[in-house]
Coordinates of all heavy atoms in Angstrom, one line a residue:
S163 N -5.9 -3.7 10.7 CA -4.8 -3.8 11.7 C -5.1 -2.8 12.8 O -5.2 -1.5 12.4 CB -3.4 -3.6 11.0 OG -3.1 -4.7 10.2
N164 N -5.0 -3.2 14.0 CA -5.1 -2.3 15.1 C -3.7 -1.6 15.4 O -3.0 -2.0 16.2 CB -5.6 -3.0 16.3 CG -6.0 -1.9 17.4 OD1 -5.5 -0.8 17.5 ND2 -6.9 -2.4 18.3
I165 N -3.4 -0.6 14.5 CA -2.0 -0.2 14.5 C -1.5 0.4 15.9 O -0.5 0.1 16.4 CB -1.8 0.9 13.4 CG1 -2.1 0.2 12.0 CG2 -0.4 1.6 13.4 CD1 -2.1 1.2 10.9
P166 N -2.4 1.2 16.6 CA -2.0 1.6 18.0 C -1.6 0.5 18.9 O -0.6 0.6 19.7 CB -3.1 2.4 18.5 CG -3.8 2.8 17.2 CD -3.7 1.7 16.2
E167 N -2.4 -0.6 18.8 CA -2.1 -1.7 19.8 C -0.9 -2.4 19.3 O -0.1 -2.8 20.1 CB -3.3 -2.6 19.8 CG -4.5 -2.1 20.6 CD -4.2 -1.8 22.1 OE1 -3.4 -2.6 22.7 OE2 -4.7 -0.6 22.5
L168 N -0.7 -2.6 18.0 CA 0.5 -3.3 17.4 C 1.7 -2.4 17.9 O 2.8 -3.0 18.2 CB 0.4 -3.5 16.0 CG -0.8 -4.3 15.4 CD1 -0.8 -4.3 13.9 CD2 -0.7 -5.6 16.0
A169 N 1.6 -1.1 17.7 CA 2.8 -0.1 18.1 C 3.2 -0.4 19.6 O 4.4 -0.2 19.9 CB 2.4 1.2 17.8
K170 N 2.1 -0.5 20.5 CA 2.4 -0.8 21.8 C 3.3 -2.0 22.0 O 4.3 -1.9 22.9 CB 1.1 -0.9 22.7 CG 0.7 0.3 23.3 CD -0.6 0.0 24.2 CE -1.6 1.1 24.1 NZ -2.9 0.7 24.6
I171 N 3.0 -3.0 21.2 CA 3.6 -4.4 21.4 C 5.1 -4.1 21.0 O 6.1 -4.5 21.6 CB 3.0 -5.4 20.6 CG1 1.6 -5.7 21.3 CG2 3.8 -6.7 20.8 CD1 0.7 -6.6 20.5
T172 N 5.3 -3.4 19.8 CA 6.7 -3.4 19.2 C 7.6 -2.4 19.9 O 8.7 -2.8 20.2 CB 6.6 -2.9 17.6 OG1 5.8 -1.7 17.6 CG2 5.9 -3.9 16.8
R173 N 6.9 -1.4 20.6 CA 7.7 -0.5 21.4 C 8.3 -1.2 22.6 O 9.3 -1.0 23.0 CB 7.0 0.7 21.8 CG 6.7 1.7 20.6 CD 6.5 3.1 21.0 NE 6.3 3.8 19.7 CZ 5.2 4.3 19.4 NH1 4.2 4.3 20.3 NH2 5.1 5.0 18.2
E174 N 7.4 -2.1 23.2 CA 7.8 -2.7 24.5 C 8.9 -3.7 24.3 O 9.7 -3.9 25.1 CB 6.6 -3.6 24.9 CG 6.0 -3.0 26.3 CD 4.7 -3.7 26.5 OE1 4.6 -5.0 26.5 OE2 3.6 -3.1 26.7
H175 N 8.9 -4.2 23.0 CA 10.0 -5.2 22.7 C 11.0 -4.8 21.8 O 11.8 -5.6 21.1 CB 9.3 -6.5 22.1 CG 8.4 -7.1 23.2 ND1 7.1 -6.8 23.3 CD2 8.6 -8.1 24.1 CE1 6.5 -7.5 24.3 NE2 7.4 -8.3 24.8
D176 N 11.2 -3.5 21.6 CA 12.3 -2.9 20.8 C 12.3 -3.5 19.5 O 13.3 -3.8 18.8 CB 13.6 -3.3 21.6 CG 14.7 -2.4 21.1 OD1 14.4 -1.2 20.6 OD2 15.9 -2.8 21.3
M177 N 11.1 -3.6 18.8 CA 10.9 -4.0 17.4 C 10.4 -2.8 16.6 O 9.8 -1.8 17.3 CB 9.9 -5.2 17.4 CG 10.2 -6.4 18.1 SD 8.8 -7.4 18.6 CE 7.8 -7.5 17.1
K178 N 10.5 -2.9 15.4 CA 9.9 -1.9 14.5 C 8.6 -2.5 13.9 O 8.4 -3.6 13.7 CB 10.9 -1.6 13.3 CG 12.2 -1.0 13.7 CD 12.0 0.4 14.2 CE 13.4 1.0 14.5 NZ 13.3 2.0 15.6
L179 N 7.6 -1.5 13.8 CA 6.4 -1.8 13.2 C 6.4 -1.2 11.7 O 6.4 0.0 11.5 CB 5.3 -1.2 14.0 CG 3.8 -1.4 13.4 CD1 3.5 -2.8 13.2 CD2 2.8 -0.7 14.2
V180 N 6.2 -2.1 10.8 CA 6.2 -1.7 9.3 C 4.8 -1.9 8.8 O 4.2 -3.1 8.9 CB 7.3 -2.5 8.5 CG1 7.2 -2.1 7.1 CG2 8.7 -2.3 9.1
V181 N 4.2 -0.9 8.2 CA 2.9 -1.0 7.7 C 2.7 -0.6 6.3 O 3.2 0.4 5.8 CB 1.8 -0.1 8.5 CG1 0.5 -0.1 8.0 CG2 1.9 -0.5 10.0
D182 N 2.2 -1.6 5.5 CA 1.9 -1.4 4.0 C 0.5 -0.7 4.0 O -0.5 -1.4 4.4 CB 2.0 -2.7 3.3 CG 1.7 -2.6 1.8 OD1 1.0 -1.6 1.4 OD2 2.0 -3.6 1.0
N183 N 0.4 0.6 3.5 CA -0.8 1.2 3.4 C -1.4 1.4 2.0 O -2.1 2.3 1.8 CB -0.6 2.6 4.1 CG -1.8 3.3 4.5 OD1 -2.8 2.7 5.0 ND2 -2.0 4.6 4.3
T184 N -0.9 0.4 1.1 CA -1.4 0.6 -0.3 C -2.8 0.7 -0.6 O -3.2 1.4 -1.4 CB -0.7 -0.6 -1.0 OG1 0.7 -0.6 -0.9 CG2 -1.1 -0.6 -2.4
F185 N -3.6 0.0 0.2 CA -5.1 -0.1 0.0 C -5.8 1.2 0.5 O -6.9 1.5 0.0 CB -5.8 -1.3 0.7 CG -5.6 -2.6 -0.1 CD1 -4.7 -2.7 -1.1 CD2 -6.5 -3.6 0.1 CE1 -4.6 -4.0 -1.6 CE2 -6.5 -4.8 -0.5 CZ -5.5 -5.0 -1.3
T186 N -5.1 1.9 1.4 CA -5.9 3.0 2.1 C -5.1 4.2 2.3 O -4.9 4.7 3.4 CB -6.2 2.4 3.6 OG1 -5.1 1.7 4.1 CG2 -7.4 1.5 3.5
P187 N -4.4 4.8 1.2 CA -3.8 6.0 1.4 C -4.8 7.1 1.8 O -5.9 7.1 1.3 CB -3.2 6.3 0.0 CG -4.0 5.6 -1.0 CD -4.4 4.3 -0.2
M188 N -4.4 8.0 2.6 CA -5.2 9.1 3.2 C -6.2 8.6 4.2 O -6.5 9.3 5.1 CB -5.9 10.0 2.1 CG -4.9 10.7 1.3 SD -5.5 12.1 0.5 CE -4.0 12.8 0.0
I189 N -6.9 7.5 3.9 CA -7.8 6.9 4.9 C -7.2 6.6 6.2 O -7.7 7.0 7.3 CB -8.5 5.7 4.2 CG1 -9.3 6.1 2.9 CG2 -9.5 5.0 5.2 CD1 -9.8 4.9 2.1
F190 N -6.1 6.0 6.1 CA -5.3 5.8 7.4 C -3.9 6.5 7.2 O -3.4 6.6 6.1 CB -5.0 4.2 7.5 CG -6.1 3.4 7.9 CD1 -6.6 2.3 7.2 CD2 -6.8 3.6 9.1 CE1 -7.6 1.5 7.5 CE2 -7.8 2.8 9.4 CZ -8.2 1.7 8.6
S191 N -3.5 7.0 8.4 CA -2.2 7.6 8.4 C -1.3 6.8 9.4 O -1.3 7.1 10.5 CB -2.2 9.1 8.8 OG -3.0 9.8 7.9
P192 N -0.7 5.6 9.0 CA -0.1 4.6 9.9 C 0.9 5.3 10.8 O 1.0 5.0 12.0 CB 0.4 3.6 9.0 CG -0.4 3.7 7.9 CD -0.8 5.1 7.6
A193 N 1.6 6.2 10.3 CA 2.7 6.8 11.1 C 2.1 7.6 12.3 O 2.7 7.6 13.4 CB 3.6 7.7 10.3
Q194 N 0.9 8.3 12.0 CA 0.2 9.0 13.1 C -0.4 8.1 14.1 O -0.6 8.5 15.3 CB -0.8 9.9 12.5 CG -0.4 10.8 11.5 CD 0.7 11.7 11.9 OE1 0.7 12.3 13.1 NE2 1.8 11.8 11.2
L195 N -0.5 6.8 13.7 CA -1.1 5.8 14.7 C -0.1 5.0 15.4 O -0.4 4.2 16.2 CB -2.1 4.9 13.9 CG -3.2 5.5 13.2 CD1 -4.0 4.6 12.3 CD2 -4.2 6.1 14.2
G196 N 1.3 5.2 15.1 CA 2.3 4.6 15.8 C 3.2 3.8 15.0 O 4.2 3.1 15.5
A197 N 3.0 3.5 13.6 CA 3.9 2.8 12.8 C 5.2 3.5 12.7 O 5.3 4.7 12.6 CB 3.3 2.5 11.4
D198 N 6.3 2.7 12.7 CA 7.7 3.3 12.4 C 8.0 3.6 11.0 O 8.6 4.6 10.6 CB 8.8 2.4 13.0 CG 8.6 2.1 14.5 OD1 8.9 3.2 15.2 OD2 8.2 1.1 14.8
I199 N 7.5 2.8 10.1 CA 7.8 2.9 8.7 C 6.5 2.5 7.9 O 5.9 1.5 8.3 CB 9.0 2.0 8.3 CG1 10.2 2.4 9.1 CG2 9.2 2.1 6.7 CD1 11.3 1.3 9.1
V200 N 6.2 3.4 7.0 CA 5.0 3.2 6.1 C 5.4 2.9 4.7 O 6.2 3.7 4.2 CB 4.1 4.3 6.1 CG1 2.8 4.1 5.3 CG2 3.7 4.7 7.6
V201 N 5.1 1.7 4.1 CA 5.4 1.5 2.7 C 4.2 1.4 1.8 O 3.1 1.2 2.3 CB 6.1 0.1 2.7 CG1 7.5 0.2 3.2 CG2 5.4 -1.1 3.2
Y202 N 4.5 1.7 0.5 CA 3.5 1.8 -0.5 C 3.9 1.2 -1.7 O 5.0 1.3 -2.1 CB 3.2 3.3 -0.8 CG 2.2 4.0 0.2 CD1 2.8 5.0 1.1 CD2 0.9 3.8 0.1 CE1 1.9 5.6 1.8 CE2 0.0 4.5 1.0 CZ 0.5 5.3 1.8 OH -0.3 6.1 2.7
S203 N 2.9 0.6 -2.3 CA 2.9 0.4 -3.8 C 2.3 1.6 -4.3 O 1.0 1.7 -4.2 CB 2.3 -0.9 -4.2 OG 2.2 -0.9 -5.7
M204 N 3.0 2.5 -5.0 CA 2.3 3.7 -5.6 C 1.7 3.4 -7.0 O 0.9 4.2 -7.6 CB 3.3 4.8 -5.8 CG 3.9 5.3 -4.5 SD 4.6 7.0 -4.6 CE 6.1 6.6 -5.6
T205 N 2.0 2.1 -7.4 CA 1.3 1.6 -8.7 C -0.2 1.7 -8.6 O -0.9 1.8 -9.5 CB 1.7 0.1 -8.7 OG1 3.2 -0.1 -8.6 CG2 1.4 -0.4 -10.1
K206 N -0.8 1.6 -7.3 CA -2.2 1.5 -7.2 C -2.9 2.8 -7.0 O -2.7 3.7 -7.9 CB -2.4 0.5 -5.9 CG -1.5 -0.7 -5.9 CD -1.7 -1.6 -7.1 CE -0.6 -2.7 -7.1 NZ -0.4 -3.5 -5.9
F207 N -3.4 3.1 -5.9 CA -4.2 4.4 -5.7 C -3.5 5.7 -5.8 O -3.9 6.6 -6.4 CB -5.0 4.4 -4.4 CG -6.0 3.4 -4.2 CD1 -5.9 2.3 -3.5 CD2 -7.3 3.7 -4.9 CE1 -7.0 1.3 -3.4 CE2 -8.4 2.8 -4.7 CZ -8.2 1.6 -4.0
I208 N -2.3 5.7 -5.2 CA -1.4 6.9 -5.3 C -1.3 7.6 -6.6 O -1.6 8.6 -6.9 CB -0.1 6.8 -4.5 CG1 -0.4 6.5 -3.0 CG2 0.7 7.9 -4.7 CD1 0.8 6.5 -2.1
N209 N -0.8 6.7 -7.6 CA -0.6 7.1 -8.9 C -2.0 7.0 -9.7 O -2.4 8.0 -10.3 CB 0.5 6.4 -9.7 CG 0.6 6.9 -11.1 OD1 0.8 8.1 -11.3 ND2 0.8 6.0 -12.0
G210 N -2.7 6.0 -9.6 CA -4.1 5.8 -9.9 C -4.3 5.8 -11.5 O -5.3 5.8 -12.0
K211 N -3.2 5.7 -12.3 CA -3.3 5.7 -13.7 C -2.9 4.3 -14.3 O -3.1 4.3 -15.5 CB -2.6 6.8 -14.3 CG -2.9 8.2 -13.8 CD -4.3 8.6 -14.2 CE -4.6 10.0 -13.6 NZ -4.8 10.1 -12.2
N212 N -2.5 3.4 -13.6 CA -2.0 2.1 -14.2 C -1.1 2.2 -15.3 O -1.1 1.4 -16.2 CB -3.3 1.2 -14.5 CG -3.4 0.1 -13.5 OD1 -2.5 -0.7 -13.4 ND2 -4.4 0.1 -12.7
D213 N -0.3 3.3 -15.2 CA 0.7 3.5 -16.4 C 2.2 3.2 -15.8 O 3.1 3.5 -16.5 CB 0.6 4.9 -17.0 CG 0.7 6.0 -16.0 OD1 0.9 5.7 -14.8 OD2 0.5 7.1 -16.4
A214 N 2.3 2.9 -14.6 CA 3.6 2.8 -14.0 C 3.7 2.0 -12.8 O 2.7 1.8 -12.0 CB 4.1 4.2 -13.6
V215 N 4.8 1.3 -12.5 CA 5.0 0.5 -11.4 C 6.0 1.5 -10.4 O 7.0 1.9 -10.9 CB 5.6 -0.8 -11.7 CG1 6.0 -1.6 -10.4 CG2 4.7 -1.7 -12.4
A216 N 5.6 1.6 -9.2 CA 6.4 2.4 -8.3 C 6.0 2.2 -6.8 O 5.0 1.7 -6.5 CB 6.1 3.9 -8.6

Side-chain angles (χ1 to χ4, degrees):
S163 293
N164 192 336
I165 298 170
E167 288 301 319
L168 298 177
K170 269 190 211 155
I171 298 174
T172 52
R173 290 213 179 105
E174 248 169 54
H175 294 87
D176 202 20
M177 295 154 53
K178 296 288 182 208
L179 177 59
V180 180
V181 177
D182 179 337
N183 199 37
T184 299
F185 278 23
T186 47
M188 298 209 163
I189 295 173
F190 288 118
S191 297
Q194 301 307 308
L195 298 171
D198 296 292
I199 298 158
V200 184
V201 290
Y202 277 105
S203 166
M204 297 201 289
T205 314
K206 318 296 172 50
F207 289 104
I208 289 187
N209 186 43
K211 304 293 180 288
N212 252 296
D213 56 1
V215 173

